Amino acid sequence: MNRRWELDLLRGLMLVLMFITHLPTRFSSMLGQPFGYVSAAEGFVMLSAFMAGMIYTSKAERDGIPAMRNAFLARALKIYACHAALLLLLFTVIAAVGVSRDEPALKNLIGFYLEQPLAGLTGGLLLIYNPPLLDILPLYIVLMLVSPMVLERGLKHGWGGILTISIVLWAVSQFNVSESMYATFVSVTDLQVPYKETGAFETFAWQFLWILGLWMGALTATGQLKDRKPFSPVLITACLAVALPLLLWRYIAGQVPVEGESIINHLFDKWHLGLFRLLNFFALLVLIMHFGDWLKAHVPRLRFLQTLGAASLPVFCMHLVVVLLALSMFGESTPERSIRTDLMLLFGGLACLYVAALITLRFDAEARPKTRAAPG
């Protein structure tokens, strides 16, 4: 498929925002959730699913369902290889640096592995033990593995039932069902990995964003989304009435909507995709879709972001390497640390992401079959 520059730019923006949020500098709290109570992770997952839906629907129509299944499997294996490499790097080089420097931030991040290295390594490779920062790729792998069945069902029988099941799973996830299921699993298998070490992302909640993106990508590939009716002025007004106050609230109250324990914070919870967070996300999504053509005509085509977005998987992996190295060498951000050090980490890290993207795109271009010119 021809690349859509606006999607690459958006993914590049999400990657930069995630990098700044995760990097231990004074800038992380400023730019975390910059558009309201919605993080870059939601946008990145949705965009990845949307592009998967477009690409693999086109492949199914062009080469058949079996080819689509094989392509999904190949991509999932590639992501797993990246995840395994990151785990091994974390458990060896980065752990050695952090422990030798007695850096609490890094030691806390891999505390379970340091206590039980064999269980940590085995559980990590089995996608069960997921240290902080390394928990989104296992989610991605699981979603990629189930996507061929979902996409095939959707293309053949429609998406109504799939979306209904997805919404039910999201609703169930708000009541800690996964923790109960995991406890049952542990009682049967005697698994040594505690539930809190399995990753922050609630799979049954986040699958909803993936299924939604996959559906929209499939509709785009078949031309159905392109022919949709414009959103009504009432809906646009309602979305503005949701998005703008939450944007102001985020900068007045901070990253957490309300201080202390509150049901409101649960409704905005990131890891379970709380109801209010989803409303904020949908309001932004509708507004972006509504003003999309205007934005494409007026937003500058920032090559830096496009380049990052076009090589999203290697860039995402490089962002984790830079962040983990920064944690092992500099620790958490503190007011005492000089702004020069934070700027060095920020711009040096962004340069690493860009170089990783350029190298990836160069290798992809060289590996791509070259079309021979017609004789004469």
Side-chain angles (χ1 to χ4, degrees), residues 280-335:
N280 197 172
F281 176 82
F282 279 124
L284 293 174
L285 177 63
V286 169
L287 292 173
I288 290 173
M289 292 176 66
H290 179 72
F291 294 106
D293 291 338
W294 184 91
L295 290 170
K296 285 174 63 176
H298 293 85
V299 170
R301 296 181 60 167
L302 302 175
R303 294 294 178 182
F304 174 75
L305 294 180
Q306 284 183 240
T307 302
L308 296 184
S312 59
L313 180 58
V315 170
F316 182 85
C317 294
M318 177 57 73
H319 119 266
L320 289 178
V321 172
V322 173
V323 169
L324 292 171
L325 282 172
L327 282 171
S328 67
M329 298 178 69
F330 295 91
E332 294 287 356
S333 176
T334 62

Side-chain angles (χ1 to χ4, degrees), residues 45-46 49 139 142-143 146-147 150 162-173 201-214 271-273:
V45 168
M46 177 78 179
L139 172 68
V142 170
L143 294 173
V146 301
S147 289
V150 173
I162 294 171
L163 291 171
T164 300
I165 293 172
S166 181
I167 293 171
V168 170
L169 288 176
W170 168 82
V172 167
S173 73
F201 291 91
E202 169 55 66
T203 303
F204 289 152
W206 281 75
Q207 57 76 32
F208 175 58
L209 285 186
W210 182 269
I211 295 298
L212 184 68
L214 203 66
W271 312 119
H272 288 78
L273 282 180

Side-chain angles (χ1 to χ4, degrees), residues 53-67:
M54 282 200 308
I55 293 169
Y56 295 113
T57 295
S58 297
K59 188 165 189 65
E61 292 185 332
R62 184 178 64 248
D63 302 325
I65 295 294

Side-chain angles (χ1 to χ4, degrees), residues 172-173 175-188 195 202 204 272:
V172 167
S173 73
F175 300 97
N176 296 323
V177 171
S178 291
E179 188 169 358
S180 300
M181 293 175 61
Y182 188 77
T184 303
F185 177 70
V186 168
S187 67
V188 174
Y195 180 76
E202 169 55 66
F204 289 152
H272 288 78

Side-chain angles (χ1 to χ4, degrees), residues 65-354:
I65 295 294
M68 178 267 287
R69 290 198 207 101
N70 292 335
F72 263 118
L73 178 60
R75 183 66 174 174
L77 290 174
K78 183 176 182 179
I79 299 168
Y80 179 80
C82 292
H83 177 65
L86 286 169
L87 274 177
L88 294 176
L89 180 66
L90 173 62
F91 292 160
T92 54
V93 176
I94 294 174
V97 173
V99 171
S100 67
R101 295 175 61 87
D102 195 25
E103 185 52 65
L106 195 281
K107 291 168 70 175
N108 291 337
L109 187 139
I110 57 171
F112 176 74
Y113 170 75
L114 294 177
E115 293 176 2
Q116 302 189 51
L118 182 59
L121 177 59
T122 305
L125 293 176
L126 292 175
L127 308 182
I128 298 172
Y129 169 47
N130 299 307
L133 300 178
L134 269 74
D135 50 0
I136 194 168
L137 285 183
L139 172 68
Y140 197 1
I141 293 166
V142 170
L143 294 173
M144 288 292 287
L145 289 174
V146 301
S147 289
M149 295 178 288
V150 173
L151 193 57
E152 180 180 359
R153 175 76 184 182
L155 293 175
K156 289 182 176 180
H157 305 288
W159 289 84
I162 294 171
L163 291 171
T164 300
I165 293 172
S166 181
I167 293 171
V168 170
L169 288 176
W170 168 82
V172 167
S173 73
Q174 305 306 302
F175 300 97
N176 296 323
V177 171
S178 291
E179 188 169 358
S180 300
M181 293 175 61
Y182 188 77
T184 303
F185 177 70
V186 168
S187 67
V188 174
T189 62
D190 197 27
L191 190 69
Q192 299 180 27
V193 181
Y195 180 76
K196 65 178 183 178
E197 301 290 350
T198 60
F201 291 91
E202 169 55 66
T203 303
F204 289 152
W206 281 75
Q207 57 76 32
F208 175 58
L209 285 186
W210 182 269
I211 295 298
L212 184 68
L214 203 66
W215 168 60
M216 293 177 67
L219 293 186
T220 299
T222 56
Q224 299 175 65
L225 195 60
K226 185 178 180 181
D227 299 329
R228 66 174 178 82
K229 295 180 180 179
F231 294 123
S232 69
V234 173
L235 178 60
I236 299 303
T237 302
C239 289
L240 287 171
V242 170
L244 291 179
L246 289 178
L247 177 63
L248 292 174
W249 189 4
R250 180 264 177 263
Y251 285 100
I252 293 172
Q255 297 276 9
V256 180
V258 179
E259 291 186 6
E261 295 291 330
S262 171
I263 186 63
I264 293 178
N265 290 338
H266 178 72
L267 292 170
F268 278 109
D269 182 66
K270 174 180 178 177
W271 312 119
H272 288 78
L273 282 180
L275 178 60
F276 287 1
R277 178 174 285 264
L278 267 187
L279 289 176
N280 197 172
F281 176 82
F282 279 124
L284 293 174
L285 177 63
V286 169
L287 292 173
I288 290 173
M289 292 176 66
H290 179 72
F291 294 106
D293 291 338
W294 184 91
L295 290 170
K296 285 174 63 176
H298 293 85
V299 170
R301 296 181 60 167
L302 302 175
R303 294 294 178 182
F304 174 75
L305 294 180
Q306 284 183 240
T307 302
L308 296 184
S312 59
L313 180 58
V315 170
F316 182 85
C317 294
M318 177 57 73
H319 119 266
L320 289 178
V321 172
V322 173
V323 169
L324 292 171
L325 282 172
L327 282 171
S328 67
M329 298 178 69
F330 295 91
E332 294 287 356
S333 176
T334 62
E336 292 77 22
R337 186 194 295 167
S338 70
I339 191 170
R340 181 181 300 179
T341 301
D342 281 357
L343 288 172
M344 178 197 70
L345 287 172
L346 177 60
F347 288 106
L350 289 173
C352 291
L353 303 192
Y354 191 61

